[in-house]
PDB file of all heavy atoms in Angstrom:
ATOM      1  N   MET A 381      53.230 -48.497 -46.125  1.00 98.00           N
ATOM      2  CA  MET A 381      53.461 -47.939 -47.454  1.00 98.00           C
ATOM      3  C   MET A 381      54.319 -48.897 -48.275  1.00 98.00           C
ATOM      4  O   MET A 381      55.003 -49.774 -47.724  1.00 98.00           O
ATOM      5  CB  MET A 381      54.164 -46.586 -47.339  1.00 98.00           C
ATOM      6  CG  MET A 381      53.395 -45.553 -46.526  1.00 98.00           C
ATOM      7  SD  MET A 381      52.046 -44.826 -47.444  1.00 98.00           S
ATOM      8  CE  MET A 381      52.974 -43.730 -48.532  1.00 98.00           C
ATOM      9  N   ALA A 382      54.280 -48.732 -49.594  1.00 97.00           N
ATOM     10  CA  ALA A 382      55.118 -49.558 -50.465  1.00 97.00           C
ATOM     11  C   ALA A 382      56.585 -49.409 -50.064  1.00 97.00           C
ATOM     12  O   ALA A 382      57.085 -48.297 -49.894  1.00 97.00           O
ATOM     13  CB  ALA A 382      54.920 -49.141 -51.920  1.00 97.00           C
ATOM     14  N   GLY A 383      57.253 -50.538 -49.889  1.00 96.00           N
ATOM     15  CA  GLY A 383      58.659 -50.523 -49.515  1.00 96.00           C
ATOM     16  C   GLY A 383      58.919 -50.496 -48.022  1.00 96.00           C
ATOM     17  O   GLY A 383      60.081 -50.502 -47.591  1.00 96.00           O
ATOM     18  N   ASP A 384      57.872 -50.464 -47.200  1.00 97.00           N
ATOM     19  CA  ASP A 384      58.037 -50.368 -45.743  1.00 97.00           C
ATOM     20  C   ASP A 384      58.243 -51.713 -45.060  1.00 97.00           C
ATOM     21  O   ASP A 384      58.587 -51.756 -43.876  1.00 97.00           O
ATOM     22  CB  ASP A 384      56.802 -49.719 -45.103  1.00 97.00           C
ATOM     23  CG  ASP A 384      56.796 -48.207 -45.215  1.00 97.00           C
ATOM     24  OD1 ASP A 384      57.804 -47.647 -45.678  1.00 97.00           O
ATOM     25  OD2 ASP A 384      55.779 -47.598 -44.828  1.00 97.00           O
ATOM     26  N   GLY A 385      58.023 -52.808 -45.749  1.00 97.00           N
ATOM     27  CA  GLY A 385      57.978 -54.114 -45.101  1.00 97.00           C
ATOM     28  C   GLY A 385      59.202 -54.427 -44.260  1.00 97.00           C
ATOM     29  O   GLY A 385      59.088 -54.848 -43.096  1.00 97.00           O
ATOM     30  N   ASP A 386      60.391 -54.235 -44.809  1.00 97.00           N
ATOM     31  CA  ASP A 386      61.616 -54.559 -44.066  1.00 97.00           C
ATOM     32  C   ASP A 386      61.761 -53.699 -42.822  1.00 97.00           C
ATOM     33  O   ASP A 386      62.153 -54.183 -41.756  1.00 97.00           O
ATOM     34  CB  ASP A 386      62.844 -54.387 -44.968  1.00 97.00           C
ATOM     35  CG  ASP A 386      62.943 -55.453 -46.037  1.00 97.00           C
ATOM     36  OD1 ASP A 386      62.264 -56.499 -45.891  1.00 97.00           O
ATOM     37  OD2 ASP A 386      63.689 -55.251 -47.017  1.00 97.00           O
ATOM     38  N   ALA A 387      61.453 -52.420 -42.955  1.00 97.00           N
ATOM     39  CA  ALA A 387      61.573 -51.520 -41.804  1.00 97.00           C
ATOM     40  C   ALA A 387      60.578 -51.893 -40.710  1.00 97.00           C
ATOM     41  O   ALA A 387      60.933 -51.914 -39.524  1.00 97.00           O
ATOM     42  CB  ALA A 387      61.350 -50.075 -42.242  1.00 97.00           C
ATOM     43  N   LEU A 388      59.359 -52.187 -41.098  1.00 98.00           N
ATOM     44  CA  LEU A 388      58.351 -52.567 -40.111  1.00 98.00           C
ATOM     45  C   LEU A 388      58.779 -53.822 -39.360  1.00 98.00           C
ATOM     46  O   LEU A 388      58.637 -53.908 -38.130  1.00 98.00           O
ATOM     47  CB  LEU A 388      57.007 -52.808 -40.794  1.00 98.00           C
ATOM     48  CG  LEU A 388      56.358 -51.602 -41.485  1.00 98.00           C
ATOM     49  CD1 LEU A 388      55.121 -52.045 -42.263  1.00 98.00           C
ATOM     50  CD2 LEU A 388      55.996 -50.522 -40.476  1.00 98.00           C
ATOM     51  N   HIS A 389      59.334 -54.764 -40.102  1.00 97.00           N
ATOM     52  CA  HIS A 389      59.744 -56.030 -39.491  1.00 97.00           C
ATOM     53  C   HIS A 389      60.975 -55.856 -38.611  1.00 97.00           C
ATOM     54  O   HIS A 389      60.997 -56.296 -37.458  1.00 97.00           O
ATOM     55  CB  HIS A 389      60.007 -57.072 -40.573  1.00 97.00           C
ATOM     56  CG  HIS A 389      60.495 -58.376 -40.044  1.00 97.00           C
ATOM     57  ND1 HIS A 389      59.673 -59.261 -39.383  1.00 97.00           N
ATOM     58  CD2 HIS A 389      61.743 -58.936 -40.050  1.00 97.00           C
ATOM     59  CE1 HIS A 389      60.385 -60.319 -39.006  1.00 97.00           C
ATOM     60  NE2 HIS A 389      61.633 -60.147 -39.403  1.00 97.00           N
ATOM     61  N   SER A 390      62.006 -55.210 -39.135  1.00 96.00           N
ATOM     62  CA  SER A 390      63.274 -55.131 -38.404  1.00 96.00           C
ATOM     63  C   SER A 390      63.167 -54.295 -37.144  1.00 96.00           C
ATOM     64  O   SER A 390      63.828 -54.588 -36.136  1.00 96.00           O
ATOM     65  CB  SER A 390      64.368 -54.560 -39.314  1.00 96.00           C
ATOM     66  OG  SER A 390      64.065 -53.222 -39.682  1.00 96.00           O
ATOM     67  N   ALA A 391      62.320 -53.242 -37.158  1.00 97.00           N
ATOM     68  CA  ALA A 391      62.198 -52.369 -35.991  1.00 97.00           C
ATOM     69  C   ALA A 391      60.954 -52.672 -35.167  1.00 97.00           C
ATOM     70  O   ALA A 391      60.680 -51.976 -34.189  1.00 97.00           O
ATOM     71  CB  ALA A 391      62.177 -50.906 -36.439  1.00 97.00           C
ATOM     72  N   ASP A 392      60.233 -53.729 -35.541  1.00 97.00           N
ATOM     73  CA  ASP A 392      59.028 -54.139 -34.808  1.00 97.00           C
ATOM     74  C   ASP A 392      58.052 -52.970 -34.665  1.00 97.00           C
ATOM     75  O   ASP A 392      57.626 -52.612 -33.570  1.00 97.00           O
ATOM     76  CB  ASP A 392      59.400 -54.697 -33.433  1.00 97.00           C
ATOM     77  CG  ASP A 392      58.230 -55.419 -32.764  1.00 97.00           C
ATOM     78  OD1 ASP A 392      57.296 -55.832 -33.479  1.00 97.00           O
ATOM     79  OD2 ASP A 392      58.253 -55.546 -31.525  1.00 97.00           O
ATOM     80  N   LEU A 393      57.696 -52.378 -35.807  1.00 98.00           N
ATOM     81  CA  LEU A 393      56.778 -51.253 -35.836  1.00 98.00           C
ATOM     82  C   LEU A 393      55.355 -51.737 -36.103  1.00 98.00           C
ATOM     83  O   LEU A 393      55.153 -52.798 -36.702  1.00 98.00           O
ATOM     84  CB  LEU A 393      57.190 -50.261 -36.931  1.00 98.00           C
ATOM     85  CG  LEU A 393      58.641 -49.806 -36.928  1.00 98.00           C
ATOM     86  CD1 LEU A 393      58.900 -48.868 -38.109  1.00 98.00           C
ATOM     87  CD2 LEU A 393      59.004 -49.139 -35.614  1.00 98.00           C
ATOM     88  N   ILE A 394      54.390 -50.946 -35.681  1.00 98.00           N
ATOM     89  CA  ILE A 394      52.983 -51.308 -35.833  1.00 98.00           C
ATOM     90  C   ILE A 394      52.331 -50.323 -36.799  1.00 98.00           C
ATOM     91  O   ILE A 394      52.031 -49.188 -36.425  1.00 98.00           O
ATOM     92  CB  ILE A 394      52.250 -51.282 -34.480  1.00 98.00           C
ATOM     93  CG1 ILE A 394      52.974 -52.170 -33.461  1.00 98.00           C
ATOM     94  CG2 ILE A 394      50.795 -51.727 -34.651  1.00 98.00           C
ATOM     95  CD1 ILE A 394      52.465 -52.020 -32.045  1.00 98.00           C
ATOM     96  N   PRO A 395      52.127 -50.703 -38.048  1.00 98.00           N
ATOM     97  CA  PRO A 395      51.504 -49.780 -39.006  1.00 98.00           C
ATOM     98  C   PRO A 395      50.002 -49.668 -38.754  1.00 98.00           C
ATOM     99  O   PRO A 395      49.326 -50.656 -38.483  1.00 98.00           O
ATOM    100  CB  PRO A 395      51.787 -50.448 -40.358  1.00 98.00           C
ATOM    101  CG  PRO A 395      51.826 -51.905 -40.032  1.00 98.00           C
ATOM    102  CD  PRO A 395      52.437 -52.016 -38.658  1.00 98.00           C
ATOM    103  N   MET A 396      49.490 -48.449 -38.858  1.00 98.00           N
ATOM    104  CA  MET A 396      48.053 -48.228 -38.758  1.00 98.00           C
ATOM    105  C   MET A 396      47.478 -48.311 -40.170  1.00 98.00           C
ATOM    106  O   MET A 396      47.556 -47.349 -40.944  1.00 98.00           O
ATOM    107  CB  MET A 396      47.759 -46.864 -38.123  1.00 98.00           C
ATOM    108  CG  MET A 396      48.390 -46.658 -36.754  1.00 98.00           C
ATOM    109  SD  MET A 396      47.961 -47.957 -35.561  1.00 98.00           S
ATOM    110  CE  MET A 396      46.187 -47.816 -35.515  1.00 98.00           C
TER     111      MET A 396
END
Side-chain angles (χ1 to χ4, degrees):
M381 301 282 285
D384 280 354
D386 289 343
L388 296 173
H389 177 73
S390 64
D392 193 21
L393 309 178
I394 306 170
M396 304 305 301

